Amino acid sequence: MICAAAVESVLQAAGEGSAALLSIGGGDKHNAIPREASAILAISPSARDAVEKSVAASKTAAVEEYGLLEKSLAIAMKEYSLEGDRDALTKMSTQTLLAVLLSLPHGPLKFSHAIPSLVETSSNLASVSVGESDATILCSSRSSIGTALEATRDKIKAVAFLAGGSVQESTAYPGWAPNPASDILDITKRILSKKL
């Protein structure tokens, strides 16, 4: 998400025709928030200063938002040499891909009413990869409430549909709503209180 936002800012800062997205990717596990993401852009030399300022501004904004928790957060720009020819994504493909990445539900979506501070429903953008003619985006959604999980999966499908994409879903883990009034919980609490 941070990478997609930074790329969008760079493209706007560079100006029309001065930068193009070649690739964007990150994440390698379906059930984890990616630690790293990167993008490869072709940038006109005349846009370099504007791009450097944009990258610095994206870093400042990200550190301001996440820096207390993510101590090693970094956003940087570096020279990159491509081996062979690689076509840039079209302007429309770039806009669509970035819009999808920025629109997908990501992070905690709802907290439990039964247990304070328990994340009830969440989703994460687990991985992104761009191929020759398509992009693959993997989301991992979970919820202790089955209907909330399906609503989250429906939102992901809706974003894909609006972008002209398709969705493949694996079987979801069933929801298991916490029950603070459960008999077994009460028995366990009483036993533990005697032991402690």
Side-chain angles (χ1 to χ4, degrees):
M1 301 295 265
I2 295 171
C3 183
V7 168
E8 188 172 67
S9 295
V10 161
L11 293 171
Q12 289 175 0
E16 187 72 33
S18 294
L21 180 64
L22 294 146
S23 180
I24 186 168
D28 60 356
K29 294 176 179 62
H30 79 90
N31 61 348
I33 296 169
R35 292 183 49 205
E36 298 175 352
S38 63
I40 301 171
L41 294 96
I43 298 167
S44 167
S46 63
R48 185 176 179 97
D49 288 345
V51 167
E52 286 177 346
K53 287 178 185 171
S54 175
V55 170
S58 291
K59 179 181 179 181
T60 299
V63 168
E64 186 176 310
E65 186 171 352
Y66 302 104
L68 291 177
L69 181 63
E70 301 292 342
K71 303 290 186 194
S72 60
L73 189 145
I75 297 176
M77 179 175 129
K78 65 180 183 178
E79 297 282 338
Y80 185 80
S81 297
L82 286 175
E83 293 179 9
D85 292 334
R86 184 166 194 159
D87 291 333
L89 277 69
T90 65
K91 181 179 178 181
M92 180 57 78
S93 293
T94 298
Q95 289 173 336
T96 302
L97 178 57
L98 294 177
V100 166
L101 294 175
L102 294 170
S103 298
L104 288 167
H106 182 71
L109 304 174
K110 184 172 183 291
F111 286 84
S112 172
H113 294 222
I115 300 174
S117 301
L118 175 70
V119 175
E120 182 178 275
T121 305
S122 66
S123 188
N124 71 287
L125 181 55
S127 70
V128 178
S129 61
V130 175
E132 298 245 346
S133 62
D134 62 2
T136 301
I137 301 167
L138 177 63
C139 297
S140 182
S141 305
R142 62 205 66 76
S143 180
S144 56
I145 308 292
T147 53
L149 175 59
E150 288 311 311
T152 301
R153 289 162 60 110
D154 287 345
K155 287 177 186 174
I156 292 167
K157 285 187 270 191
V159 170
F161 173 78
L162 289 171
S166 61
V167 173
Q168 294 178 356
E169 289 183 326
S170 58
T171 304
Y173 293 112
W176 186 19
N179 179 5
S182 150
D183 290 338
I184 191 72
L185 178 61
D186 185 53
I187 292 166
T188 305
K189 283 180 176 179
R190 281 190 276 127
I191 291 170
L192 280 174
S193 68
K194 288 178 185 175
K195 298 265 184 197
L196 298 175

